[in-house]
Amino acid sequence: QVQLVESGGGLVQAGGSLRLSCAASGRTFSSYAMGWFRQAPGKEREFVAAISWSGGDTYYADSVKGRFTISRDNAKNTVYLQMNSLKPEDTAVYYCAAVLNIRRWPALQHTEYDYWGQGTQVTVSS
């Protein structure tokens, strides 16, 4: 089992940057594929980015490709989401998620993940 805690959210102007962190507990973090999702008010939770257990494979939603970068440091049990060129439509609560026995790559559906953090708010002002 793994527990996830996100941090790094906040208020930023359009065009700015933020880096989200997701700290995981447990000794088997390096065995989990990780993902970032977001949910805006009144909308469904949507996939943002995913990274394989080794960090060798990454995948992005078209809406963030070229602007966001997912990475992980297995020695620190942490996954990151670097967000650049932020837009007002990026405003949402951002969640990190973990899956141990991934059934397909990339895992794009929130139902494919086993563990979730509590979320961190990102607000981008125009």
Side-chain angles (χ1 to χ4, degrees):
Q1 190 169 352
V2 63
Q3 292 182 322
L4 306 173
V5 179
E6 302 96 334
S7 61
L11 174 64
V12 64
Q13 288 188 333
S17 298
L18 283 173
R19 188 175 83 155
L20 305 184
S21 298
C22 174
S25 65
R27 293 173 290 179
T28 60
F29 172 74
S30 61
S31 301
Y32 290 80
M34 301 294 295
W36 284 97
F37 287 74
R38 66 187 182 186
Q39 188 166 19
K43 295 188 177 181
E44 293 187 355
R45 191 168 297 192
E46 66 171 352
F47 171 81
V48 174
I51 189 165
S52 61
W53 65 270
S54 67
D57 294 298
T58 58
Y59 192 85
Y60 298 92
D62 287 342
S63 58
V64 307
K65 199 174 297 182
R67 300 188 297 123
F68 290 11
T69 302
I70 188 172
S71 62
R72 67 189 297 162
D73 185 338
N74 286 341
K76 295 183 178 180
N77 280 15
T78 303
V79 63
Y80 305 97
L81 185 68
Q82 178 67 44
M83 306 186 295
N84 298 328
S85 302
L86 282 161
K87 304 175 182 179
E89 51 263 44
D90 294 319
T91 295
V93 177
Y94 283 70
Y95 300 89
C96 70
V99 55
L100 180 59
N101 297 311
I102 192 168
R103 288 165 285 280
R104 64 163 183 166
W105 175 261
L108 305 180
Q109 302 300 320
H110 65 86
T111 52
E112 297 180 88
Y113 290 80
D114 302 317
Y115 303 102
W116 291 85
Q118 82 290 348
T120 186
Q121 176 71 46
V122 172
T123 303
V124 184
S125 64
S126 57

